Amino acid sequence: MHSSIFSFRLINCGPVMQILIPAVLLLVGYAGFIELARPQVVQMQSQQIDNLARVERLLYPEQAIDTVIVGSSLANKLPDSALGPGVYNIALNAGSPLTGLELVRRMEVLPRVVLVEINKLEIKADQAFVERLYHPFWYPVRRYVRAFRHRYQPVNLLQSWLVGAYYYLARRSPSVRQPPLNTLALERRLDNLKVFRAKAWLEYNLPLVRAEIERLRSRGVSVYLLEMPVHPRVANSTAFRGHREIVRQVFPESKYRWLSFNMNPGPVTRDGIHLTPGEADRFARALGQVIPQLP
Amino acid sequence: MLFNSFPFLLLVLVTLGLYYLPALRRYQIGILILSSGVFYAYGQPWLLLLLLLSAGITGICSYRVLNHTDPIRRRVWAVAGVLSNLLVLAFFKYNKLIASAMVDDLSNLGGAGQAVLTLALPIGISFYTFQGISLMVDVFRRGTQELMDGLPVNSGYQQHLGRTLLYITFFPQLVAGPIVKAHDFYPQIQTKLLSQVDWALAVRAMITGYFLKMVIADNLHDQTFWIAYPYFLSRSSIDLAALLFGYSMQIFADFAGYSLIAIGVAALFGYRLPQNFNFPYIAQSVAEFWRRWHISLSSWLREYLYYSLGGNRKGRARLYLNLMIVMFLGGLWHGAAWSYAVWGAWHGVALAVERPLLNSGFYTSQHVVMKVLRIGLIFLFVSLSWLLFKLPEFTQVVQYLKALGSNLGKGISLPMLSVIMMYSLPVIAYHLLYLWRSRRSETRIPASGALYGVMLFAIVYNSGTQNAFIYFQF
């Protein structure tokens, strides 16, 4: 019997082809559907997928990028629709502004403006997240085949259709929610913030953040620092005051640009730090009006 | 090296290419050992020394047991082999537990002690040390004829060491099982031909495995991370119940997925690994659950521990004691923390309590309602037990259960619930399909090619964020 490993008589192709043919048809069909239909995806299945999809919008932009917002879960809540055209919000759930700054640094064409949320500068950068997005194989594949982008995962589409069906059947329009403050979460957070535990991490990260900002500025990008509004009791906590003090020392207003907003009435949060959807929308609209005028 | 990574794919392809080259056929064992070394050393090269040392000691001791005729010397070498594996396991895995039992405050330990406590747990140590023990016991007992055919007494030391290295380090099952017994593996060590590969088994096992791991387990992980203190405290009871349900699906998909990938990859090289999961969530008793879940571990514990303790041959009281010991140690095998021991003991108590009732009407009734009730109760019991895996402290488990009972008035998260249900449905369907096939004595799944095609589609387009296998931590 011919014993070359290249002989297909040695491999029983039947069961394998029975699997490959429908798989290939589905893969190609779905890719074609995504390219042609460009379905709107309004609901991501998880925070992690949302983070990936959010950054992929930046990596594979559909329109010119004017401004990029980097930050944590606080700035993440600012809706794109309220920020205005050309503004890309890549603030990451449970993520670090440092990760966002690294992603901006790798952009082929830098934005005009970068807003850096400073509330959670102690969170360390997630290098694995960045490498995943810039994977040498997947990065170019996702550029040319939309179906591979995390936004277009089939379950995200299914979720979005379910949300659409819900609003259609309930004869409602999607509205901006204003859930009540979770007082248990607030009290627990305040308890944690009695001690400035993250000081060492903050002091470790700040030089890295400053270096990234300086790098961007040297390449002509306008960088603004932004403090997201939080519950007044949180703002007055030991940890938050300590955090703000150190950040202001490292980034004095004499050398760095700051954006400040007075929300009137004061911000409404879900848990002390994360704005409710209604408040996030209000804040984002205010920010969206200011951004085009930033030098 | 993760199974779902490009380096692993490259490793398998290169190994396959070399393995089946006619010119290199006589070096097949060496090729697999070399690939296993690359697999294990990837990202943690120093641990390869530990693996080789452990396998080497096992090889020396087993060779001595095989080739000595003096029963006392055979016993001495057998005990030495078993003890060396247990010592390696105790040193690297249970050092903190042992130290905390001996010393009140671990910070009082000297520099060397602190250094030992900070050693990372070598990946796969719980698996390959158990395989080493299996070999020692099997050769001492002079197991089956098939085993002895695979371990010829007159083989040279080099040949024996090579086979032992292959058995211990075989990369598809090295870091998370299935735990293969020596008498199942050694008879398979022969020259393999490409024409002998069961492609249908390999491809189907791998597709199902990758689907369970990358699509189901990894996506559910992105939801169940909310089962963490203190985040779960503010979740509604329904959310918490859904999260627990999702975690049950996730842990099954993660572990069963890995085992299936291991089985499929091993099949590419001509080796059959034992089935490790047999649709465990349709179990109708705790005893049946343990015949379906992590079969290789429960089988190992039964053969090498339970029977050695006397099994059920020494009276009822001893039977229950043996069950408790085996389950307690089985729980502790999963991790060097008392929560795992409690988990094991909890299952041990359930087995002991259930045993005299297995002949009662509740367990023997064949009415469909009773069957569904039994499946539901056992699933509930097992799912609640998984909290001991997920939450690092026992107090957090208690708080979770309290929140589960008291947070009825809180708002539910529909998006999270829908995602958990979407990813749980394939696992439910997987189990229901098995029930359907077993009722009809069907061996074929209708349109199976299309079904596997859909799974492959989901793997490509809908994989979750990459996470290590849960059982890597054991």
Side-chain angles (χ1 to χ4, degrees), chain B residues 136-328:
Chain B
M136 294 312 313
V137 175
D138 279 359
V139 295
F140 179 73
R141 289 176 181 169
R142 291 205 185 275
T144 61
Q145 186 56 48
E146 289 80 9
L147 167 68
M148 301 318 294
D149 287 345
L151 277 169
V153 170
N154 57 357
S155 71
Y157 174 68
Q158 207 170 358
Q159 191 184 32
H160 178 80
L161 188 60
R163 287 167 183 237
T164 303
L165 273 175
L166 174 61
Y167 167 60
I168 301 285
T169 67
F170 187 42
F171 73 89
Q173 47 83 54
L174 172 60
V175 295
I179 300 170
V180 189
K181 292 177 199 160
H183 58 74
D184 288 330
F185 191 85
Y186 277 81
Q188 298 186 63
I189 303 178
Q190 302 162 12
T191 303
K192 308 290 185 182
L193 300 177
L194 189 62
S195 57
Q196 294 167 335
V197 175
D198 188 342
W199 291 100
L201 166 73
V203 169
R204 286 176 181 154
M206 285 193 291
I207 288 176
T208 309
Y210 278 113
F211 174 78
L212 286 174
K213 167 56 183 166
M214 293 173 73
V215 179
I216 305 300
D218 283 352
N219 279 305
L220 280 173
H221 176 271
D222 288 349
Q223 306 299 324
T224 63
F225 82 94
W226 288 111
I227 305 178
Y229 183 84
Y231 303 112
F232 62 72
L233 290 175
S234 51
R235 290 268 173 187
S236 71
S237 298
I238 293 177
D239 281 359
L240 294 175
L243 283 167
L244 191 53
F245 182 85
Y247 187 69
S248 296
M249 301 293 111
Q250 178 197 337
I251 197 170
F252 165 75
D254 196 282
F255 199 12
Y258 184 97
S259 295
L260 283 168
I261 296 169
I263 288 168
V265 173
L268 292 177
F269 298 100
Y271 287 88
R272 279 200 177 257
L273 299 184
Q275 184 187 31
N276 214 12
F277 291 85
N278 187 18
F279 307 92
Y281 288 147
I282 55 128
Q284 297 182 43
S285 66
V286 179
E288 185 184 355
F289 175 78
W290 281 103
R291 288 195 296 273
R292 293 176 175 276
W293 179 275
H294 202 173
I295 299 168
S296 65
L297 174 66
S298 53
S299 168
W300 190 101
L301 289 171
R302 186 171 54 244
E303 187 164 337
Y304 298 108
L305 185 59
Y306 180 69
Y307 290 160
S308 301
L309 290 172
N312 60 359
R313 289 173 286 125
K314 305 215 171 184
R316 187 160 290 201
R318 184 65 181 266
L319 159 71
Y320 293 135
L321 179 65
N322 291 343
L323 272 177
M324 286 301 304
I325 291 172
V326 168
M327 294 310 295
F328 179 82

Side-chain angles (χ1 to χ4, degrees), chain A residues 169-183:
Chain A
L169 290 171
R171 289 181 169 73
R172 283 172 57 181
S173 300
S175 60
V176 180
R177 292 180 299 119
Q178 201 80 326
L181 172 65
N182 186 329
T183 51

